[in-house]
Amino acid sequence: MKLMTIKFASLLLGIFLACTSGAYAEETQDDTLMNKDQVNGKVEESKGKVKEATGVILDDKAMKKEGNVQKNLGKAQSGVGDIKKKLHKDIKEGN
């Protein structure tokens, strides 16, 4: 019973992070906001961290590994968003 409660709580936390972070994914000219790749990458990174921590708590090596992979893919996607944002800014400034 405790195992199911922990898995359910981590799932709810992941859903919460995905929903709240996704609200700020706007394509805009404003440099202060994040682009969709940056936001989605941060969401995936957060979900991966939650999954990885859950795997540690439950001593589930497969879940820990899956969370680590998801976290790193999220970092990569966020990095792609950073590059897109920089390129967009450079083009806008004429550099």
Side-chain angles (χ1 to χ4, degrees):
M1 182 69 174
K2 184 178 178 183
L3 177 66
M4 293 299 290
T5 304
I6 293 171
K7 285 186 177 181
F8 183 69
S10 65
L11 176 65
L12 286 178
L13 180 59
I15 291 170
F16 172 76
L17 290 171
C19 291
T20 56
S21 297
Y24 299 103
E26 298 180 14
E27 292 292 337
T28 180
Q29 300 295 329
D30 189 2
D31 289 337
T32 60
L33 295 177
M34 297 170 72
N35 62 35
K36 288 182 181 181
D37 284 316
Q38 288 172 313
V39 172
N40 290 337
K42 293 292 184 187
V43 168
E44 288 302 311
E45 185 178 347
S46 298
K47 290 184 340 187
K49 286 180 182 180
V50 169
K51 192 178 286 184
E52 187 176 24
T54 304
V56 170
I57 291 169
L58 300 176
D59 197 28
D60 185 343
K61 291 179 183 179
M63 182 181 287
K64 181 181 172 186
K65 189 180 293 186
E66 185 179 331
N68 188 21
V69 168
Q70 187 173 9
K71 177 181 71 174
N72 289 322
L73 287 174
K75 284 182 182 181
Q77 184 176 8
S78 181
V80 167
D82 293 342
I83 291 169
K84 283 183 178 180
K85 186 173 185 177
K86 176 148 179 37
L87 287 173
H88 184 267
K89 183 180 176 184
D90 287 348
I91 291 170
K92 184 177 166 184
E93 293 175 354
N95 293 332

